[in-house]
Amino acid sequence: VIDATPEVERAFKDARHQPLLPARLTPGSGWGRDRMESVLPQRGSYLLLDAVIHRDERARLVVATRHIAAETLDGHFPGTPLWPGVQQVEAIAQAGALGLPADGSDAETERPMLTGILGAVFLRGVRPGTVTIASRWFDDGLFFIAVGQCLQADRICSVAAVKGLRGEVR
Amino acid sequence: MTREEMFTAVKGHIQRIVEGTAGKTITEDMSMTDLGADSLEIVEVVSRSMKELRIRVPRTELSSAKNLKELLDLFERASAAAS
């Protein structure tokens, strides 16, 4: 992991071996696309999360899901459909940004923006089906750093640490 | 906190983050672009400076600062408002 604090380095290393998933989901913390779009600037197929199923502001942890349809992976790769790693990293960044404090007022918020990838490892291929994306964010002044995972059937498929500009209420 | 202390903090972060600025004379009329910083390095310098000085200026206001003098003006106003 480049340009990271010891806390982020530790979180990245731990995330390679331990799922970030909470023991149980927070009731009522689910967000659909409309709520996600009030925080994130991505729309349509570039919003890589279908729903938030857990959001804990104190733990700074977000867990989201995404259904990957086989036909969207046509060509990546022929006969062996796999979700591209860069999209996994983007999904982890989006989930991390959803954990930032936000008032949800669409017109008043400067949107979070990805500024760098500090590190990423791809441990197992992500196949068509449901993917769980878990992401925890760390404060870095005007920036945030998200360390997250993509999981399938509770197995860690990838881990990434990304940095972005925080959103901001004007 | 004096303006000089703020300037010292900002200069320190510029010299740590922006390549080729160590040992260079930095004055208030310079911009970070003049010193060779790219857009992310500028935000990084400002972010770390605010953290060290324990002040907060909204990103939307920061983008109006055209040189270090105007950045320090914003910092001074934020510091006065916080105290």
Side-chain angles (χ1 to χ4, degrees):
Chain A
V1 183
I2 56 166
D3 195 23
T5 61
E7 185 186 28
V8 169
E9 289 265 10
R10 184 72 262 155
F12 184 83
K13 284 179 183 164
D14 289 348
R16 292 180 62 146
H17 304 287
Q18 294 165 5
L20 287 167
L21 304 176
R24 66 186 179 93
L25 303 180
T26 308
S29 63
W31 285 12
R33 288 183 75 91
D34 284 352
R35 187 71 179 85
M36 289 193 279
E37 286 181 2
S38 73
V39 177
L40 298 175
Q42 290 85 355
R43 296 291 182 270
S45 60
Y46 286 95
L47 176 51
L48 298 179
L49 311 171
D50 294 333
V52 170
I53 57 170
H54 176 86
R55 186 173 180 278
D56 183 340
E57 277 202 15
R58 271 181 66 184
R60 299 178 172 189
L61 175 69
V62 165
V63 182
T65 56
R66 163 82 173 181
H67 180 75
I68 309 291
E71 54 270 25
T72 63
L73 302 178
D74 184 34
H76 194 276
F77 301 95
T80 313
L82 294 175
W83 198 27
V86 288
Q87 292 198 9
Q88 295 175 46
V89 174
E90 171 70 19
I92 287 166
Q94 290 181 11
L98 289 173
L100 297 166
D103 70 352
S105 53
D106 191 53
E108 295 180 1
T109 305
E110 190 82 8
R111 304 306 175 94
M113 188 186 295
L114 183 65
T115 59
I117 299 169
L118 308 184
V121 290
F122 304 100
L123 307 167
R124 291 182 183 85
V126 175
R127 301 183 182 283
T130 299
V131 185
T132 302
I133 299 103
S135 197
R136 172 168 285 139
W137 69 273
F138 298 84
D139 180 56
D140 189 21
L142 290 173
F143 296 90
F144 72 98
I145 293 173
V147 175
Q149 304 166 324
C150 287
L151 305 102
Q152 221 168 17
D154 292 334
R155 300 181 78 191
I156 301 163
C157 300
S158 60
V159 178
V162 299
K163 185 166 179 168
L165 273 169
R166 300 175 65 138
E168 188 171 81
V169 176
R170 292 195 185 116
Chain B
M1 190 187 318
T2 66
R3 187 180 179 96
E4 192 50 44
E5 285 168 335
M6 289 180 183
F7 194 28
T8 300
V10 171
K11 283 191 287 189
H13 289 297
I14 289 172
Q15 288 171 335
R16 274 187 287 278
I17 291 167
V18 185
E19 208 170 294
T21 55
K24 228 177 190 175
T25 302
I26 298 172
T27 56
E28 284 197 19
D29 61 331
M30 290 176 163
S31 72
M32 283 193 256
T33 308
D34 294 337
L35 292 162
D38 65 30
S39 59
L40 273 184
E41 287 170 334
I42 292 171
V43 184
E44 195 76 64
V45 167
V46 173
S47 177
R48 292 190 193 183
S49 300
M50 289 198 300
K51 204 169 184 177
E52 180 181 336
L53 300 169
R54 297 171 188 272
I55 53 171
R56 179 136 184 99
V57 180
R59 255 164 64 195
T60 41
E61 285 182 34
L62 289 166
S63 58
S64 68
K66 291 179 182 61
N67 54 28
L68 295 173
K69 177 192 174 302
E70 291 182 12
L71 178 66
L72 290 166
D73 290 345
L74 288 171
F75 281 6
E76 271 192 325
R77 277 202 291 275
S79 178
S83 58

